[in-house]
Amino acid sequence: MVSLPAGQVGGLARARALPSEAYLSDVAGAEFIDWFARCSAAAQCRVTRAPLTELRRWRFDADTGNLAHESGAFFAVEGLRVRTSYGPVPEWSQPIINQPEIGILGMLVKEVDGVPHCLVQAKIEPGNHNRIQLSPTVQATRSNYTRIHQGRSTRYLEFFTKAGAGRTLVDVLQSEQGAWFLRKRNRNMVVQVAEDVPAAKGYHWLPLTELRRLLRIDGLVNMDTRTVLACLPADTFPASRPVPVGDVGAALVLSSTGQGTSLNDMGAVLRWFTEAKSRHQLTAHRTPLRDLPGWRGTPEQITHEDGRHFSIIGVTAQVGDREVAEWDQPLLFPQGRGVVAFVIKVIEGVAHLLVHARFQPGLLDGMEMGPTVQCVPENYPQGPPRFLDYVLTASPERLLYSAVLAEEGGRFYHSQNSYLLVEADDDFPVAVPDDYCWVTAHQLTRLLRHGYYVNVEARSLLACLQSW
């Protein structure tokens, strides 16, 4: 695990480990602090481990060994065989979550006295390490919002499913973790309303700038909120642009707003990406879960024989104020904390992010643009991936942002990554390997108008760029 310095780093405030009231007061108003304290005090959550063979309404298929819900909805845990010319490992097998339905991640926004506000909810997921995280207004799978579980209806869903309910600012399908999901997609939406929409219990209208500053706090803003925020164009609400902090901050403003000159124009970026996708081959075939070499299944869990990568475990969840109060389900349990980082270099006065064209077996198109570094270091005994040592040994003054952020707690158990923005030193070359490219934040945001260009980890870091 990486040891990261606390306090002021490189002129920008790094994240703190706990959302204490003292630190919250630096980034959030008293109204939010009071609301979040009340939600935390009222939170009722009990999650206990359960053997996979004893999960209620979940069954192992007699022929394939795949683990699925008896309704045929929600998701299944299946096997995947992968062959590729990309990376150091040409072939492997693994379990993967197959959730073919498209969920909705929707954020309601409104302007109050000219200030944009977001309707967030304090949401508990069974895989959250800290119970409550800030979620979008709607965060629901299709199985959930069509009430396969026979529970309560999803609040505020009508604003994202009915035409004319508001002004749609963002509506795009985006991928999720391509290493753990098979072609998983969610509809990322931002809808602006003019009328007064009351905040229900567990919901709060929060200024957009305040929500972005809360990204400095470890584990507070969930993955689904981050991906929706990333898809919101920087010029939609000009008042929420980053504030210049020295030379780097000014360069980040130019990068986020599309001002200044980019090293590669959009045509060159798209050519680079198409060439990268064409350079390598990847085939991924579904296979019975029981036939996976290197994986061991017991009544308790499914694990890799060397103890690395991840396990599939079962839990029983009892959560207050959810559509269903109690349920069982499998969760993917990663082994080790990951590192997700962008190296940022100021080129001709404009901050550029070093993007990696990354193949992952579960992505719909095989490859998307990811961060400079995206890995769990413990999974690389043969040697660290490119640039990992560089970001982990960055001096404090070059660490522009650092927070430990959680991944999706509805499918992953205690999954966390150290998210980093690292300023390159003067010796870091402009010329980079073929699978890497310098792009501006504005160029990535433009690509997010379309699906399947920018992966979920890179989207999280793009949201973090707006956190000061």
Side-chain angles (χ1 to χ4, degrees):
M1 188 174 72
V2 186
S3 177
L4 299 172
Q8 295 292 317
V9 179
L12 305 177
R14 80 163 296 268
R16 302 296 180 93
L18 295 172
S20 66
E21 186 170 330
Y23 183 62
L24 275 176
S25 64
D26 291 338
V27 296
E31 189 176 349
F32 170 80
I33 294 171
D34 178 67
W35 169 79
F36 190 75
R38 285 186 279 110
C39 290
S40 299
Q44 299 179 13
C45 176
R46 178 181 173 85
V47 178
T48 55
R49 291 280 295 267
L52 293 174
T53 53
E54 296 181 13
L55 297 181
R56 291 167 293 181
R57 304 194 68 187
W58 292 83
R59 303 287 182 269
F60 283 101
D61 184 84
D63 296 324
T64 64
N66 294 348
L67 180 59
H69 195 266
E70 63 183 19
S71 68
F74 301 104
F75 64 95
V77 181
E78 303 179 354
L80 196 71
R81 289 185 182 271
V82 183
R83 292 183 177 86
T84 181
S85 61
Y86 173 89
V89 181
E91 184 174 351
W92 73 89
S93 299
Q94 65 169 89
I96 199 158
I97 299 172
N98 185 2
Q99 186 175 336
E101 61 186 30
I102 296 173
I104 292 178
L105 306 178
M107 185 75 80
L108 275 186
V109 299
K110 70 175 181 180
E111 292 197 49
V112 180
D113 297 329
V115 178
H117 284 62
C118 301
L119 185 59
V120 297
Q121 63 170 309
K123 192 174 183 67
I124 300 174
E125 293 287 8
N128 288 355
H129 69 284
N130 56 350
R131 297 195 302 173
I132 292 181
Q133 295 174 14
L134 294 184
S135 166
T137 317
V138 168
Q139 176 185 318
T141 66
R142 182 174 181 82
S143 293
N144 283 338
Y145 69 74
T146 57
R147 302 174 68 185
I148 298 295
H149 49 49
Q150 300 180 341
R152 295 200 310 265
S153 59
T154 302
R155 292 187 182 100
Y156 304 108
L157 179 66
E158 67 274 12
F159 289 97
F160 304 96
T161 57
K162 292 183 180 179
R167 176 185 171 216
T168 300
L169 304 179
V170 172
D171 191 356
V172 60
L173 293 178
Q174 296 291 359
S175 64
E176 296 210 359
Q177 284 83 356
W180 297 338
F181 279 120
L182 181 63
R183 305 183 187 99
K184 175 73 169 65
R185 298 171 293 165
N186 271 324
R187 190 176 177 184
N188 288 235
M189 301 183 70
V190 179
V191 173
Q192 185 175 12
V193 293
E195 73 272 23
D196 181 36
V197 178
K201 179 183 177 182
Y203 291 77
H204 182 71
W205 282 106
L206 181 66
L208 174 59
T209 52
E210 205 167 302
L211 175 58
R212 283 172 164 161
R213 288 198 301 268
L214 289 171
L215 284 162
R216 301 176 190 174
I217 297 177
D218 291 355
L220 182 58
V221 179
N222 80 358
M223 184 201 80
D224 300 303
T225 301
R226 301 193 304 265
T227 179
V228 172
L229 289 178
C231 293
L232 187 64
D235 57 358
T236 304
F237 299 112
S240 65
R241 291 173 181 169
V243 176
V245 182
D247 294 339
V248 178
L252 285 169
V253 170
L254 296 179
S255 182
S256 297
T257 58
Q259 303 175 60
T261 303
S262 57
L263 180 65
N264 302 292
D265 63 26
M266 187 59 78
V269 172
L270 292 173
R271 284 194 301 275
W272 161 79
F273 188 53
T274 302
E275 289 171 359
K277 286 200 288 188
S278 303
R279 189 179 306 121
H280 300 288
Q281 296 197 4
L282 182 146
T283 59
H285 299 290
R286 294 162 63 186
T287 190
L289 186 62
R290 66 164 38 132
D291 291 345
L292 294 183
W295 292 83
R296 298 173 179 171
T298 70
E300 299 290 329
Q301 60 184 346
I302 300 169
T303 59
H304 196 269
E305 61 186 9
D306 64 11
R308 292 187 285 116
H309 307 296
F310 60 85
S311 302
I312 303 296
I313 65 170
V315 300
T316 293
Q318 298 169 301
V319 180
D321 201 31
R322 285 286 295 260
E323 295 87 349
V324 175
E326 182 175 345
W327 70 94
D328 292 352
Q329 70 170 92
L331 289 171
L332 188 150
F333 185 11
Q335 303 300 314
R337 179 183 294 176
V339 176
V340 178
F342 266 130
V343 172
I344 298 175
K345 187 174 181 66
V346 178
I347 302 172
E348 299 296 325
V350 178
H352 286 66
L353 287 66
L354 186 56
V355 168
H356 184 198
R358 177 177 294 274
F359 265 121
Q360 291 182 291
L363 294 177
L364 187 68
D365 201 27
M367 174 177 279
E368 293 184 4
M369 299 183 197
T372 316
V373 174
Q374 178 186 322
C375 70
V376 176
E378 291 85 349
N379 290 338
Y380 291 82
Q382 71 275 20
R386 183 176 279 142
F387 302 121
L388 175 61
D389 287 342
Y390 186 84
V391 300
L392 294 186
T393 58
S395 59
E397 63 270 13
R398 291 196 292 111
L399 197 58
L400 304 179
Y401 173 91
S402 169
V404 178
L405 303 178
E407 305 308 322
E408 212 277 300
R411 297 292 176 266
F412 312 138
Y413 185 76
H414 292 191
S415 176
Q416 299 179 82
N417 285 309
S418 294
Y419 279 84
L420 308 171
L421 296 173
V422 178
E423 183 187 8
D425 57 29
D426 293 339
D427 294 333
F428 197 97
V430 174
V432 291
D434 289 342
D435 288 342
Y436 295 79
C437 183
W438 293 109
V439 301
T440 67
H442 181 71
Q443 287 174 322
L444 286 182
T445 303
R446 286 180 60 192
L447 290 171
L448 285 174
R449 298 173 187 172
H450 315 280
Y452 321 132
Y453 276 104
V454 183
N455 76 7
V456 67
E457 291 84 2
R459 296 198 301 273
S460 278
L461 278 175
L462 274 177
C464 296
L465 273 173
Q466 301 279 347
S467 67
W468 48 79

